[in-house]
Amino acid sequence: AQSVTQPDIHITVSEGASLELRCNYSYGATPYLFWYVQSPGQGLQLLLKYFSGDTLVQGIKGFEAEFKRSQSSFNLRKPSVHWSDAAEYFCAVGTGRRALTFGSGTRLQVQP
Amino acid sequence: DADVTQTPRNRITKTGKRIMLECSQTKGHDRMYWYRQDPGLGLRLIYYSFDVKDINKGEISDGYSVSRQAQAKFSLSLESAIPNQTALYFCATSSSGAGWEPQHFGDGTRLSIL
């Protein structure tokens, strides 16, 4: 069965610092991978997705993610974090049922 | 107006009550989903529907039922609510197609069962 692991429950970074959120997946077939962001009191917004092709994908709000098949990873990065990036971030893998299996999330706190 | 609308946004009710959460969408998508979110567990799939006549159980369907009244409406029912169903519930939609289409989420319904 597919699974997604986000090993960091909570991360704190300083504004302007770089960010990397980790995601590892387990899925037997070619994965469809997603990163979503959830701001307080709101639903999930899609940041970026990987289906095939270039393993470095660009998303909205200056985020990017790199797919590494050998490591079963799809880490999210941002060169310089803004205070408005404070939120919870979810990695997800798409299954054959066209539904999503989510990781448990990483809560990002940004210090001024 | 939101593309995926969930009602109510918040609900507090008592154990044993029947509750219905509603989802409507204006995106014209065929596929609709219900997830629940619990702290530290991410989102888990309850039910999903690929069209009005195609409804499928997700990984945690026990204690829940759904109804797809129209392409644009997908409701989730708790027949006899219990406290461990206290959670944040999300509806999502996606378009159909051979490939993978991203899902679009509503703002959620926060449900508390006393």
Side-chain angles (χ1 to χ4, degrees), chain A residues 28-49:
Chain A
T30 300
Y32 296 91
L33 296 163
F34 304 83
W35 275 100
Y36 283 85
V37 60
Q38 182 182 28
S39 298
Q42 296 185 13
L44 280 72
Q45 180 183 22
L46 180 68
L47 283 176
L48 48 78
K49 60 185 185 287

Side-chain angles (χ1 to χ4, degrees), chain B residues 46-103:
Chain B
I46 306 173
Y47 271 95
Y48 60 106
S49 170
F50 284 179
D51 64 40
V52 175
K53 295 182 179 180
D54 181 10
I55 294 178
N56 305 276
K57 294 182 177 180
E59 58 182 307
I60 54 164
S61 60
D62 288 348
Y64 301 95
S65 62
V66 291
S67 173
R68 185 83 184 265
Q69 300 97 321
Q71 185 201 36
K73 295 184 183 295
F74 191 38
S75 60
L76 175 72
S77 294
L78 288 67
E79 298 301 327
S80 180
I82 55 177
N84 73 4
Q85 292 177 312
T86 293
L88 186 55
Y89 290 83
F90 285 103
C91 175
T93 73
S94 69
S95 60
S96 58
W100 238 103
E101 299 300 325
Q103 295 184 7

Side-chain angles (χ1 to χ4, degrees), chain A residues 36 38 51 90 97-98 100, chain B residues 33 37 50 90 98 100 103:
Chain A
Y36 283 85
Q38 182 182 28
F51 290 174
F90 292 94
R97 299 173 301 176
R98 296 298 189 268
L100 293 171
Chain B
Y33 308 81
Q37 183 181 18
F50 284 179
F90 285 103
W100 238 103
Q103 295 184 7

Side-chain angles (χ1 to χ4, degrees), chain A:
Chain A
Q2 66 282 348
S3 65
V4 178
T5 301
Q6 294 180 247
D8 303 306
I9 297 172
H10 185 217
I11 284 182
T12 300
V13 299
S14 298
E15 190 168 16
S18 63
L19 172 69
E20 183 169 27
L21 302 182
R22 296 183 290 165
C23 173
N24 293 96
Y25 68 90
S26 173
Y27 187 56
T30 300
Y32 296 91
L33 296 163
F34 304 83
W35 275 100
Y36 283 85
V37 60
Q38 182 182 28
S39 298
Q42 296 185 13
L44 280 72
Q45 180 183 22
L46 180 68
L47 283 176
L48 48 78
K49 60 185 185 287
Y50 171 78
F51 290 174
S52 64
D54 193 348
T55 56
L56 184 64
V57 294
Q58 302 297 320
I60 63 172
K61 304 185 180 186
F63 285 92
E64 66 179 25
E66 186 172 13
F67 171 61
K68 293 185 177 180
R69 184 184 298 275
S70 61
Q71 299 178 17
S72 297
S73 69
F74 188 57
N75 294 349
L76 182 71
R77 301 194 294 248
K78 187 170 185 178
S80 178
V81 170
H82 187 263
W83 63 266
S84 60
D85 293 324
E88 189 154 21
Y89 292 80
F90 292 94
C91 180
V93 61
T95 74
R97 299 173 301 176
R98 296 298 189 268
L100 293 171
T101 295
F102 285 86
S104 55
T106 297
R107 182 167 298 279
L108 173 65
Q109 185 175 355
V110 181
Q111 289 182 332

